[in-house]
Amino acid sequence: MTAWAPDFADLRQLSQGQALWPVDAGTSTLSVHVFRGGRAAQLGHNHVLNAPKLAGLLRLNASECCQDLDLKTAAFELALRLDELELDAAASRATLGVGWASAISPEMIAATRRNMLGEAGLQASSYPLLRVRSLRISGAYPKLAALVEIELHGHRQRQWLALNLSNKPGGGVQARGTMVISQSEFGLTPFSVAGGLLAVQDELLIEFDLLARPSTRPD
């Protein structure tokens, strides 16, 4: 696995008085929930993937806080590596309730990971990144709606995303939200075996809790 550093080139084109707020990867979280399907769904498992490393930037006027957010100039971008996703960590499954209560062996986790990331799935070796960037932000603090472009598996799709913002001590801003994407819209075929007897559903549920802190540094 090679090192990576998203450039976020568009966000780095700062106007007078603007600053970049990097996403704090150590305290931010993003989870992807994959749901079992098929005629024998009860024999399968729901899965959860966590992103241990997130890269992201929020562009704001250097002097503004959330309540005075200038939606015309604010923008953000987020990226993660698919091959770094952690699959079915026991601690994560334990917080999700009965739908994730089934036990999964390390061998099953390894096989599922190969299916998800391999040539029959996300093809992570060819398309390693998931990227989300804002195109437009509307609403009013703390409830915002962002039109975003999602890049996955060589495809780009646009959709609206609901965000809930809050100020944090020390000058940070927290953004929480949930979005649903369909694998088929990105040229992916949801995994299935035995003619669809066991499968995963097309829809993926993505939850995130991001913390960005002010910085005047471009890097």
Side-chain angles (χ1 to χ4, degrees), residues 2-185:
T2 58
W4 67 291
D7 53 26
F8 301 131
D10 291 341
L11 288 184
R12 294 183 185 279
Q13 299 176 14
L14 299 178
S15 300
Q16 182 68 31
Q18 289 184 329
L20 297 175
W21 294 36
V23 168
D24 186 341
T27 58
S28 299
T29 62
L30 183 145
S31 300
V32 182
H33 302 86
V34 184
F35 304 102
R36 61 189 178 185
R39 299 188 300 278
Q42 70 278 8
L43 300 178
H45 303 275
N46 297 319
H47 301 283
V48 57
L49 300 99
N50 296 313
K53 297 179 183 178
L54 290 169
L57 286 177
L58 173 64
R59 185 180 68 204
L60 294 174
N61 287 338
S63 60
E64 69 185 2
C65 61
C66 286
Q67 289 90 335
D68 302 320
L69 188 64
D70 182 357
L71 299 181
K72 294 181 180 179
T73 59
F76 64 86
E77 189 164 352
L78 181 72
L80 61 88
R81 279 194 70 107
L82 298 173
D83 57 7
E84 291 180 343
L85 288 171
E86 297 176 346
L87 175 64
D88 286 328
S92 296
R93 292 182 65 84
T95 66
L96 294 173
V98 65
W100 282 261
S102 58
I104 304 182
S105 69
E107 293 77 16
M108 293 173 63
I109 291 175
T112 301
R113 182 179 176 82
R114 287 194 298 270
N115 290 331
M116 286 186 177
L117 300 182
E119 289 303 305
L122 291 167
Q123 299 178 335
S125 60
S126 300
Y127 306 102
L129 296 184
L130 167 65
R131 301 183 73 132
V132 180
R133 69 182 184 95
S134 66
L135 303 175
R136 189 169 76 220
I137 302 176
S138 60
Y141 177 86
K143 304 293 185 180
L144 301 181
L147 178 63
V148 299
E149 181 181 75
I150 303 169
E151 182 178 346
L152 175 66
H153 193 244
H155 292 68
R156 295 182 179 183
Q157 295 288 337
R158 294 184 178 186
Q159 70 177 66
W160 284 95
L161 171 66
L163 296 170
N164 188 58
L165 267 62
S166 60
N167 286 332
K168 304 301 290 184
V173 55
Q174 186 174 35
R176 293 175 175 171
T178 303
M179 62 181 174
V180 177
I181 65 173
S182 297
Q183 299 177 65
S184 56
E185 293 182 348

Side-chain angles (χ1 to χ4, degrees), residues 183-219:
Q183 299 177 65
S184 56
E185 293 182 348
F186 293 89
L188 296 165
T189 300
F191 178 77
S192 66
V193 295
L197 186 66
L198 286 174
V200 299
Q201 298 179 28
D202 192 14
E203 295 76 23
L204 303 175
L205 174 65
I206 302 175
E207 294 181 321
F208 55 88
D209 186 344
L210 309 177
L211 178 64
R213 300 186 186 277
S215 172
T216 57
R217 296 181 57 188
D219 55 1

